[in-house]
Amino acid sequence: MPMVREAPDILSPEFAADPYPSYAALRESFPLLWHEATGSYLISRYADVQRAFRDEVFTTRNYEWQLEPVHGRTLVQMSGREHAVRRALVAPAFRGRMLEEKFLPVIEENARELIAPITAARTGTAELVQDFATHFPINVIVDMLGLDKAEHPRFHAWYTAIVAYFGNLAQDPEVTAAGHRTRDELAAYMIPVIQDRRRHPGDDLLSVLCTAEIDGTRMSDEDIKAFISILFAAGGETTDKAISGLVGNLLAHPEQLAAVRADRGLIAQALAETLRFTPPVQMIMRETAEDVELSGGVIPAGSTVNCLIGAANRDVDRFADPDRFDIFRTDLPTRSAFTAAADHLAFALGRHFCVGALLAKTEVEVGVNQLLDAMPGLALREDCVLAQEGVFTRGLTSLPVRFTPAAG
């Protein structure tokens, strides 16, 4: 690689258009870089980002200013026993029998409801980002919580504002103000619903959160509201972009799409590779509790560290031919890809590994299966050039497709 004289800027238009060349330059020449505009150190090599997610010297105290003003105090910023107990209270709802028996039917129904009008139109065309991906995970969460289906659009608007706030690296005041309005509106809506559900619990996710108890500890109304807020942001954004990213990656590699069509068990492999190749969350921040030495130097105690997942997941020292999308690669085992031992870094690692990883996997598998069933001959529309946007989170701006409509 040619010598790079100037470090790439993660807030530049060039980076926003395509961050991957900049990631390569950062890994090669600036593995530890102070970024003045965001007040953070950037780390980009796989080994360094992996350590930042696993080593407890990298704390989540940064979320006190990054998340708490819009969500309230959430699970992701807790540590020690407080974190262990809160995670134990919510985790059972997102795995095992509860996920398979209670919530899988909700996921399947929402996929059908979004796909039905696309196929009923019999045009043989669709735009899968706006027609499906951005709405699917939010609708699923609303229905899992046992909320009114009529509120799908309202929650989608709140989700959009929360995600924009989370990724507001440039500190746009309008984005900040919209995030604060959303915090107030969501609290005004949810707190009375939570209080009513405590009095009249059902078999939905919100009732599970209201009644869960461990060693005499239960979640307060504010705890539940904050968890729901982060669930919409984290659960919606990752799944939204993972679905469109997976389908887009397969459409760009027709031979791999054909393999998935023939063997739907490969969807999990395709998702794992999508999370590595085009991770929906490109960056996650941490704060150092003490001085830490990484590639390129020492990060002082109390520093904000921006862990560049998008860069680490394409580190040639960890993955063979990392700029190639390959669902059959042998250095990314599917069996661990949705656990805290994952080789990709898209869900973080360690105690703060994404609690909803299996929910996201289930949603993607259901959604992609139903899309493939309903859309034979699925392909990109002619002259379509896939484009992505976003810096903190990143995904396709659109996914225009054609398929063979049903006869009649």
Side-chain angles (χ1 to χ4, degrees), residues 99-121:
L99 174 58
E100 293 174 8
E101 296 177 8
K102 285 190 176 183
F103 301 133
L104 179 58
V106 173
I107 296 168
E108 293 171 334
E109 178 186 3
N110 273 282
R112 286 192 297 269
E113 288 178 349
L114 286 169
I115 293 171
I118 299 173
T119 55

Side-chain angles (χ1 to χ4, degrees), residues 368-406:
V368 173
N369 263 308
Q370 290 199 24
L371 287 170
L372 293 177
D373 287 343
M375 299 178 178
L378 184 66
L380 288 173
R381 287 192 214 169
E382 291 79 1
D383 302 322
C384 169
V385 177
L386 296 181
Q388 296 191 356
E389 67 177 5
V391 174
F392 211 92
T393 61
R394 186 171 182 84
L396 291 173
T397 57
S398 65
L399 185 54
V401 299
R402 56 181 173 81
F403 57 95
T404 304

Side-chain angles (χ1 to χ4, degrees), residues 6 11 32 53 68 87 125 148 245 286 404:
E6 185 176 347
L11 298 183
L32 177 61
F53 289 155
E68 191 167 342
R87 189 177 178 99
T125 62
D148 188 345
R286 291 290 187 260
T404 304

Side-chain angles (χ1 to χ4, degrees), residues 7 53 55 63 65 85 124 137 147 181 187 288 336 339 342 368 398:
F53 289 155
D55 193 331
Y63 290 140
W65 56 264
V85 171
L147 303 176
R181 285 196 303 273
T288 52
S336 60
T339 73
V368 173
S398 65

Side-chain angles (χ1 to χ4, degrees), residues 97-147:
R97 290 183 58 188
M98 192 170 294
L99 174 58
E100 293 174 8
E101 296 177 8
K102 285 190 176 183
F103 301 133
L104 179 58
V106 173
I107 296 168
E108 293 171 334
E109 178 186 3
N110 273 282
R112 286 192 297 269
E113 288 178 349
L114 286 169
I115 293 171
I118 299 173
T119 55
R122 296 196 177 94
T123 63
T125 62
E127 201 289 274
L128 292 184
V129 171
Q130 291 303 318
D131 292 348
F132 185 80
T134 61
H135 296 281
F136 178 46
I138 301 306
N139 293 2
V140 165
I141 293 170
V142 169
D143 292 358
M144 285 176 63
L145 289 166
L147 303 176

Side-chain angles (χ1 to χ4, degrees), residues 93-271:
F94 298 96
R95 67 188 184 210
R97 290 183 58 188
M98 192 170 294
L99 174 58
E100 293 174 8
E101 296 177 8
K102 285 190 176 183
F103 301 133
L104 179 58
V106 173
I107 296 168
E108 293 171 334
E109 178 186 3
N110 273 282
R112 286 192 297 269
E113 288 178 349
L114 286 169
I115 293 171
I118 299 173
T119 55
R122 296 196 177 94
T123 63
T125 62
E127 201 289 274
L128 292 184
V129 171
Q130 291 303 318
D131 292 348
F132 185 80
T134 61
H135 296 281
F136 178 46
I138 301 306
N139 293 2
V140 165
I141 293 170
V142 169
D143 292 358
M144 285 176 63
L145 289 166
L147 303 176
D148 188 345
K149 279 182 175 289
E151 301 292 357
H152 284 171
R154 187 200 300 225
F155 275 94
H156 190 269
W158 284 338
Y159 150 73
T160 302
I162 290 171
V163 168
Y165 181 96
F166 186 56
N168 189 19
L169 291 175
Q171 295 298 299
D172 183 325
E174 292 185 6
V175 172
T176 300
H180 292 164
R181 285 196 303 273
T182 296
R183 171 198 61 201
D184 297 339
E185 291 170 5
L186 181 63
Y189 178 91
M190 282 306 311
I191 294 298
V193 175
I194 292 166
Q195 292 171 343
D196 179 71
R197 204 64 56 90
R198 287 195 191 279
R199 295 189 294 268
H200 309 289
D203 61 355
D204 50 79
L205 175 59
L206 184 54
S207 296
V208 171
L209 298 175
C210 287
T211 57
E213 182 174 341
I214 293 178
D215 297 333
T217 298
R218 302 179 71 174
M219 297 174 74
S220 69
D221 294 352
E222 177 60 28
D223 289 338
I224 295 172
K225 187 275 299 178
F227 179 76
I228 290 170
S229 180
I230 198 73
L231 176 62
F232 277 108
E237 182 76 346
T238 55
T239 308
D240 164 359
K241 289 177 167 52
I243 289 175
S244 59
L246 188 159
V247 175
N249 286 331
L250 289 177
L251 291 173
H253 299 81
E255 73 291 349
Q256 297 186 56
L257 173 61
V260 171
R261 271 198 178 279
D263 179 1
R264 301 300 177 83
L266 293 174
I267 292 175
Q269 287 180 220
L271 174 56

